[in-house]
Amino acid sequence: MSVPTVLLVRHGRTTANASGTLAGWTPGIGLDEVGRAQAQALAERLATVPLAALVSSPLQRCQETAAEIVGVPGPKGVARPVPLVDDRLGEARYGDWTGRSLKDLAKEPLWRVVQAHPSAVTFPGEHGESMLAMQLRAVQAVREHDAAVAREHGEEAVWLAVSHGDIIKSLLADALGMHLDAFQRIVVDPCSVSVVRYTQLRPFDLRTNDTGGDLSALVPPKRPRRRRGGAGGAPAAYAGAVVGGSTGTA
């Protein structure tokens, strides 16, 4: 059973982020100058990491971030894969909250519920989504893509998903075995990288909200092929947590 590694990348900073506006699915929200610089820097940081697949939210800010990543080749100049689009990685549907300032929203009674009891929240309006539904669709999407990468590329494969803050926070909460009501404790900054490896026993959170430094250690080492019928140790998918703590190697 193969266990790829998924890099969860939040889009770069946008004009809405800078102005304190809840963008949601509003069209035309792209990266600002800071966000584009963040995406370009991330693309360079990822140059040492081979990517078997790249999946993105359909929203402009994620598409622009993905385009910057694709613009920088991987190891040995290998071209990046063509990004796939999955609506399930799109932003939470905030309903009537969409386009409003965070300062004003903080005065709403529902704001306190979003902070303390998000599993009970359904955003108001015809197109408002529950936060539980948001997490469910995101987890299903990532696990499906992870399984597809495993089948096609094997256990050393690394792939990348470009999405949004609340989406990635909900994915990390799932990976950490946290109730959604605790997901506000997680911080996911623009153009940060968070890393999860799903195994047969449990997911492992390898990195959270990484915004700088070398990413080459995220490339799993090549594993020697086990001889048929030989011992060779347990397959990676069945590996447990390291007793006493990780050695710091991939």
mmCIF file of all heavy atoms in Angstrom, residues 113-121 130-136 139 166-167 169-174 177-186:
data_model
loop_
_atom_site.group_PDB
_atom_site.id
_atom_site.type_symbol
_atom_site.label_atom_id
_atom_site.label_comp_id
_atom_site.label_asym_id
_atom_site.label_seq_id
_atom_site.Cartn_x
_atom_site.Cartn_y
_atom_site.Cartn_z
ATOM 1 N N VAL A 113 -19.773 31.829 17.428
ATOM 2 C CA VAL A 113 -19.984 30.403 17.183
ATOM 3 C C VAL A 113 -18.923 29.873 16.209
ATOM 4 O O VAL A 113 -18.388 28.781 16.386
ATOM 5 C CB VAL A 113 -21.400 30.140 16.639
ATOM 6 C CG1 VAL A 113 -21.676 28.637 16.558
ATOM 7 C CG2 VAL A 113 -22.446 30.814 17.518
ATOM 8 N N VAL A 114 -18.618 30.665 15.196
ATOM 9 C CA VAL A 114 -17.562 30.281 14.250
ATOM 10 C C VAL A 114 -16.248 30.071 14.986
ATOM 11 O O VAL A 114 -15.482 29.150 14.665
ATOM 12 C CB VAL A 114 -17.403 31.353 13.159
ATOM 13 C CG1 VAL A 114 -16.171 31.100 12.305
ATOM 14 C CG2 VAL A 114 -18.650 31.411 12.284
ATOM 15 N N GLN A 115 -15.983 30.901 15.975
ATOM 16 C CA GLN A 115 -14.734 30.793 16.721
ATOM 17 C C GLN A 115 -14.702 29.609 17.674
ATOM 18 O O GLN A 115 -13.681 28.925 17.815
ATOM 19 C CB GLN A 115 -14.488 32.085 17.520
ATOM 20 C CG GLN A 115 -14.355 33.330 16.679
ATOM 21 C CD GLN A 115 -13.223 33.244 15.683
ATOM 22 O OE1 GLN A 115 -12.114 32.845 16.019
ATOM 23 N NE2 GLN A 115 -13.492 33.603 14.435
ATOM 24 N N ALA A 116 -15.811 29.354 18.362
ATOM 25 C CA ALA A 116 -15.812 28.380 19.450
ATOM 26 C C ALA A 116 -16.487 27.055 19.114
ATOM 27 O O ALA A 116 -16.179 26.029 19.729
ATOM 28 C CB ALA A 116 -16.494 28.992 20.686
ATOM 29 N N HIS A 117 -17.419 27.063 18.155
ATOM 30 C CA HIS A 117 -18.209 25.855 17.889
ATOM 31 C C HIS A 117 -18.504 25.752 16.390
ATOM 32 O O HIS A 117 -19.665 25.675 15.970
ATOM 33 C CB HIS A 117 -19.513 25.924 18.704
ATOM 34 C CG HIS A 117 -20.263 24.649 18.771
ATOM 35 N ND1 HIS A 117 -21.559 24.570 19.263
ATOM 36 C CD2 HIS A 117 -19.934 23.388 18.404
ATOM 37 C CE1 HIS A 117 -21.982 23.321 19.189
ATOM 38 N NE2 HIS A 117 -21.018 22.583 18.676
ATOM 39 N N PRO A 118 -17.451 25.745 15.551
ATOM 40 C CA PRO A 118 -17.666 25.796 14.104
ATOM 41 C C PRO A 118 -18.457 24.617 13.545
ATOM 42 O O PRO A 118 -19.097 24.750 12.498
ATOM 43 C CB PRO A 118 -16.245 25.840 13.519
ATOM 44 C CG PRO A 118 -15.351 25.400 14.624
ATOM 45 C CD PRO A 118 -16.013 25.804 15.884
ATOM 46 N N SER A 119 -18.446 23.490 14.230
ATOM 47 C CA SER A 119 -19.206 22.340 13.729
ATOM 48 C C SER A 119 -20.707 22.601 13.739
ATOM 49 O O SER A 119 -21.471 21.890 13.081
ATOM 50 C CB SER A 119 -18.887 21.088 14.543
ATOM 51 O OG SER A 119 -19.353 21.209 15.877
ATOM 52 N N ALA A 120 -21.146 23.630 14.472
ATOM 53 C CA ALA A 120 -22.571 23.969 14.535
ATOM 54 C C ALA A 120 -22.957 25.051 13.534
ATOM 55 O O ALA A 120 -24.127 25.418 13.450
ATOM 56 C CB ALA A 120 -22.933 24.440 15.947
ATOM 57 N N VAL A 121 -21.988 25.548 12.762
ATOM 58 C CA VAL A 121 -22.217 26.727 11.922
ATOM 59 C C VAL A 121 -22.664 26.340 10.518
ATOM 60 O O VAL A 121 -22.052 25.496 9.861
ATOM 61 C CB VAL A 121 -20.935 27.583 11.833
ATOM 62 C CG1 VAL A 121 -21.073 28.659 10.768
ATOM 63 C CG2 VAL A 121 -20.622 28.203 13.180
ATOM 64 N N SER A 130 -22.445 24.706 5.496
ATOM 65 C CA SER A 130 -22.026 24.376 6.856
ATOM 66 C C SER A 130 -20.526 24.103 6.857
ATOM 67 O O SER A 130 -19.948 23.648 5.859
ATOM 68 C CB SER A 130 -22.774 23.153 7.379
ATOM 69 O OG SER A 130 -22.290 21.958 6.800
ATOM 70 N N MET A 131 -19.879 24.354 7.971
ATOM 71 C CA MET A 131 -18.443 24.110 8.062
ATOM 72 C C MET A 131 -18.144 22.616 8.081
ATOM 73 O O MET A 131 -17.072 22.185 7.638
ATOM 74 C CB MET A 131 -17.860 24.833 9.274
ATOM 75 C CG MET A 131 -18.039 26.339 9.197
ATOM 76 S SD MET A 131 -17.006 27.295 10.335
ATOM 77 C CE MET A 131 -15.469 27.369 9.421
ATOM 78 N N LEU A 132 -19.074 21.825 8.577
ATOM 79 C CA LEU A 132 -18.899 20.375 8.508
ATOM 80 C C LEU A 132 -18.901 19.890 7.065
ATOM 81 O O LEU A 132 -18.088 19.045 6.673
ATOM 82 C CB LEU A 132 -19.998 19.669 9.295
ATOM 83 C CG LEU A 132 -19.823 19.579 10.808
ATOM 84 C CD1 LEU A 132 -21.072 18.976 11.451
ATOM 85 C CD2 LEU A 132 -18.596 18.743 11.167
ATOM 86 N N ALA A 133 -19.816 20.420 6.247
ATOM 87 C CA ALA A 133 -19.860 20.046 4.832
ATOM 88 C C ALA A 133 -18.593 20.486 4.119
ATOM 89 O O ALA A 133 -18.066 19.773 3.253
ATOM 90 C CB ALA A 133 -21.085 20.657 4.164
ATOM 91 N N MET A 134 -18.092 21.659 4.476
ATOM 92 C CA MET A 134 -16.831 22.157 3.913
ATOM 93 C C MET A 134 -15.699 21.172 4.187
ATOM 94 O O MET A 134 -14.941 20.798 3.279
ATOM 95 C CB MET A 134 -16.498 23.508 4.524
ATOM 96 C CG MET A 134 -15.141 24.073 4.164
ATOM 97 S SD MET A 134 -14.556 25.342 5.334
ATOM 98 C CE MET A 134 -14.059 24.295 6.734
ATOM 99 N N GLN A 135 -15.576 20.754 5.437
ATOM 100 C CA GLN A 135 -14.501 19.821 5.787
ATOM 101 C C GLN A 135 -14.677 18.481 5.088
ATOM 102 O O GLN A 135 -13.708 17.916 4.561
ATOM 103 C CB GLN A 135 -14.453 19.607 7.301
ATOM 104 C CG GLN A 135 -13.311 18.671 7.724
ATOM 105 C CD GLN A 135 -13.330 18.360 9.200
ATOM 106 O OE1 GLN A 135 -14.374 18.057 9.762
ATOM 107 N NE2 GLN A 135 -12.174 18.440 9.847
ATOM 108 N N LEU A 136 -15.898 17.990 5.039
ATOM 109 C CA LEU A 136 -16.146 16.678 4.443
ATOM 110 C C LEU A 136 -15.738 16.650 2.971
ATOM 111 O O LEU A 136 -15.038 15.728 2.522
ATOM 112 C CB LEU A 136 -17.617 16.304 4.585
ATOM 113 C CG LEU A 136 -18.029 14.969 3.944
ATOM 114 C CD1 LEU A 136 -17.253 13.815 4.565
ATOM 115 C CD2 LEU A 136 -19.535 14.755 4.091
ATOM 116 N N VAL A 139 -11.833 16.822 2.666
ATOM 117 C CA VAL A 139 -11.177 15.563 3.047
ATOM 118 C C VAL A 139 -11.398 14.501 1.981
ATOM 119 O O VAL A 139 -10.467 13.770 1.591
ATOM 120 C CB VAL A 139 -11.679 15.086 4.423
ATOM 121 C CG1 VAL A 139 -11.195 13.660 4.719
ATOM 122 C CG2 VAL A 139 -11.214 16.034 5.530
ATOM 123 N N ASP A 166 -9.316 28.217 5.494
ATOM 124 C CA ASP A 166 -10.224 27.373 6.264
ATOM 125 C C ASP A 166 -10.244 25.939 5.745
ATOM 126 O O ASP A 166 -10.393 24.997 6.523
ATOM 127 C CB ASP A 166 -11.639 27.959 6.246
ATOM 128 C CG ASP A 166 -11.828 29.088 7.247
ATOM 129 O OD1 ASP A 166 -10.949 29.276 8.115
ATOM 130 O OD2 ASP A 166 -12.866 29.793 7.169
ATOM 131 N N ILE A 167 -10.088 25.763 4.443
ATOM 132 C CA ILE A 167 -10.048 24.414 3.882
ATOM 133 C C ILE A 167 -8.841 23.656 4.419
ATOM 134 O O ILE A 167 -8.947 22.517 4.893
ATOM 135 C CB ILE A 167 -9.999 24.468 2.340
ATOM 136 C CG1 ILE A 167 -11.251 25.139 1.776
ATOM 137 C CG2 ILE A 167 -9.821 23.065 1.761
ATOM 138 C CD1 ILE A 167 -12.526 24.368 1.985
ATOM 139 N N LYS A 169 -6.999 24.324 7.060
ATOM 140 C CA LYS A 169 -7.131 24.124 8.506
ATOM 141 C C LYS A 169 -8.024 22.927 8.820
ATOM 142 O O LYS A 169 -7.737 22.138 9.721
ATOM 143 C CB LYS A 169 -7.674 25.395 9.169
ATOM 144 C CG LYS A 169 -6.656 26.513 9.270
ATOM 145 C CD LYS A 169 -7.292 27.859 9.570
ATOM 146 C CE LYS A 169 -8.052 27.850 10.892
ATOM 147 N NZ LYS A 169 -8.593 29.193 11.212
ATOM 148 N N SER A 170 -9.097 22.779 8.058
ATOM 149 C CA SER A 170 -9.992 21.645 8.305
ATOM 150 C C SER A 170 -9.323 20.328 7.918
ATOM 151 O O SER A 170 -9.540 19.297 8.564
ATOM 152 C CB SER A 170 -11.312 21.823 7.551
ATOM 153 O OG SER A 170 -11.164 21.623 6.159
ATOM 154 N N LEU A 171 -8.508 20.333 6.872
ATOM 155 C CA LEU A 171 -7.763 19.136 6.482
ATOM 156 C C LEU A 171 -6.737 18.758 7.546
ATOM 157 O O LEU A 171 -6.562 17.577 7.876
ATOM 158 C CB LEU A 171 -7.065 19.367 5.148
ATOM 159 C CG LEU A 171 -7.968 19.409 3.915
ATOM 160 C CD1 LEU A 171 -7.222 19.997 2.724
ATOM 161 C CD2 LEU A 171 -8.494 18.020 3.583
ATOM 162 N N LEU A 172 -6.060 19.748 8.093
ATOM 163 C CA LEU A 172 -5.079 19.472 9.142
ATOM 164 C C LEU A 172 -5.756 18.975 10.412
ATOM 165 O O LEU A 172 -5.233 18.081 11.095
ATOM 166 C CB LEU A 172 -4.259 20.729 9.430
ATOM 167 C CG LEU A 172 -3.319 21.168 8.300
ATOM 168 C CD1 LEU A 172 -2.693 22.522 8.632
ATOM 169 C CD2 LEU A 172 -2.242 20.128 8.057
ATOM 170 N N ALA A 173 -6.914 19.535 10.733
ATOM 171 C CA ALA A 173 -7.646 19.050 11.902
ATOM 172 C C ALA A 173 -8.004 17.581 11.734
ATOM 173 O O ALA A 173 -7.855 16.775 12.664
ATOM 174 C CB ALA A 173 -8.905 19.888 12.122
ATOM 175 N N ASP A 174 -8.456 17.219 10.541
ATOM 176 C CA ASP A 174 -8.763 15.814 10.267
ATOM 177 C C ASP A 174 -7.520 14.947 10.411
ATOM 178 O O ASP A 174 -7.554 13.883 11.044
ATOM 179 C CB ASP A 174 -9.340 15.676 8.866
ATOM 180 C CG ASP A 174 -9.467 14.240 8.423
ATOM 181 O OD1 ASP A 174 -10.388 13.548 8.903
ATOM 182 O OD2 ASP A 174 -8.638 13.789 7.601
ATOM 183 N N GLY A 177 -6.575 14.291 13.939
ATOM 184 C CA GLY A 177 -7.587 13.664 14.782
ATOM 185 C C GLY A 177 -8.291 14.646 15.694
ATOM 186 O O GLY A 177 -8.844 14.263 16.733
ATOM 187 N N MET A 178 -8.303 15.920 15.305
ATOM 188 C CA MET A 178 -8.945 16.959 16.096
ATOM 189 C C MET A 178 -10.398 17.129 15.674
ATOM 190 O O MET A 178 -10.718 17.020 14.490
ATOM 191 C CB MET A 178 -8.236 18.308 15.900
ATOM 192 C CG MET A 178 -6.832 18.369 16.417
ATOM 193 S SD MET A 178 -5.956 19.870 15.840
ATOM 194 C CE MET A 178 -7.069 21.172 16.396
ATOM 195 N N HIS A 179 -11.263 17.403 16.628
ATOM 196 C CA HIS A 179 -12.632 17.782 16.301
ATOM 197 C C HIS A 179 -12.599 19.120 15.566
ATOM 198 O O HIS A 179 -11.735 19.963 15.814
ATOM 199 C CB HIS A 179 -13.453 17.905 17.588
ATOM 200 C CG HIS A 179 -14.930 17.915 17.362
ATOM 201 N ND1 HIS A 179 -15.595 19.023 16.899
ATOM 202 C CD2 HIS A 179 -15.860 16.947 17.536
ATOM 203 C CE1 HIS A 179 -16.889 18.753 16.810
ATOM 204 N NE2 HIS A 179 -17.073 17.491 17.187
ATOM 205 N N LEU A 180 -13.533 19.302 14.650
ATOM 206 C CA LEU A 180 -13.588 20.559 13.910
ATOM 207 C C LEU A 180 -13.705 21.756 14.846
ATOM 208 O O LEU A 180 -13.242 22.856 14.509
ATOM 209 C CB LEU A 180 -14.764 20.534 12.922
ATOM 210 C CG LEU A 180 -14.892 21.743 11.997
ATOM 211 C CD1 LEU A 180 -13.663 21.888 11.100
ATOM 212 C CD2 LEU A 180 -16.157 21.640 11.152
ATOM 213 N N ASP A 181 -14.289 21.583 16.002
ATOM 214 C CA ASP A 181 -14.438 22.696 16.938
ATOM 215 C C ASP A 181 -13.088 23.227 17.430
ATOM 216 O O ASP A 181 -13.030 24.324 17.990
ATOM 217 C CB ASP A 181 -15.293 22.279 18.136
ATOM 218 C CG ASP A 181 -16.761 22.174 17.784
ATOM 219 O OD1 ASP A 181 -17.151 22.635 16.695
ATOM 220 O OD2 ASP A 181 -17.530 21.608 18.596
ATOM 221 N N ALA A 182 -12.010 22.459 17.231
ATOM 222 C CA ALA A 182 -10.675 22.906 17.654
ATOM 223 C C ALA A 182 -9.846 23.442 16.492
ATOM 224 O O ALA A 182 -8.712 23.860 16.692
ATOM 225 C CB ALA A 182 -9.932 21.756 18.338
ATOM 226 N N PHE A 183 -10.419 23.484 15.280
ATOM 227 C CA PHE A 183 -9.574 23.818 14.134
ATOM 228 C C PHE A 183 -9.131 25.271 14.101
ATOM 229 O O PHE A 183 -8.161 25.611 13.421
ATOM 230 C CB PHE A 183 -10.256 23.379 12.835
ATOM 231 C CG PHE A 183 -10.986 24.453 12.063
ATOM 232 C CD1 PHE A 183 -10.754 24.616 10.704
ATOM 233 C CD2 PHE A 183 -11.942 25.275 12.666
ATOM 234 C CE1 PHE A 183 -11.430 25.579 9.966
ATOM 235 C CE2 PHE A 183 -12.614 26.229 11.942
ATOM 236 C CZ PHE A 183 -12.356 26.393 10.573
ATOM 237 N N GLN A 184 -9.802 26.149 14.856
ATOM 238 C CA GLN A 184 -9.373 27.550 14.889
ATOM 239 C C GLN A 184 -8.052 27.732 15.624
ATOM 240 O O GLN A 184 -7.466 28.818 15.594
ATOM 241 C CB GLN A 184 -10.453 28.424 15.538
ATOM 242 C CG GLN A 184 -11.792 28.429 14.822
ATOM 243 C CD GLN A 184 -11.769 29.134 13.466
ATOM 244 O OE1 GLN A 184 -10.732 29.255 12.832
ATOM 245 N NE2 GLN A 184 -12.924 29.592 13.005
ATOM 246 N N ARG A 185 -7.556 26.671 16.269
ATOM 247 C CA ARG A 185 -6.248 26.752 16.911
ATOM 248 C C ARG A 185 -5.113 26.657 15.892
ATOM 249 O O ARG A 185 -3.953 26.933 16.215
ATOM 250 C CB ARG A 185 -6.093 25.614 17.930
ATOM 251 C CG ARG A 185 -7.168 25.601 19.002
ATOM 252 C CD ARG A 185 -6.968 24.461 19.970
ATOM 253 N NE ARG A 185 -8.077 24.374 20.917
ATOM 254 C CZ ARG A 185 -8.062 23.614 22.014
ATOM 255 N NH1 ARG A 185 -7.002 22.872 22.289
ATOM 256 N NH2 ARG A 185 -9.109 23.584 22.816
ATOM 257 N N ILE A 186 -5.430 26.242 14.688
ATOM 258 C CA ILE A 186 -4.429 26.058 13.637
ATOM 259 C C ILE A 186 -4.295 27.359 12.836
ATOM 260 O O ILE A 186 -5.295 27.992 12.504
ATOM 261 C CB ILE A 186 -4.826 24.903 12.709
ATOM 262 C CG1 ILE A 186 -4.943 23.594 13.504
ATOM 263 C CG2 ILE A 186 -3.833 24.749 11.567
ATOM 264 C CD1 ILE A 186 -5.563 22.458 12.715
#
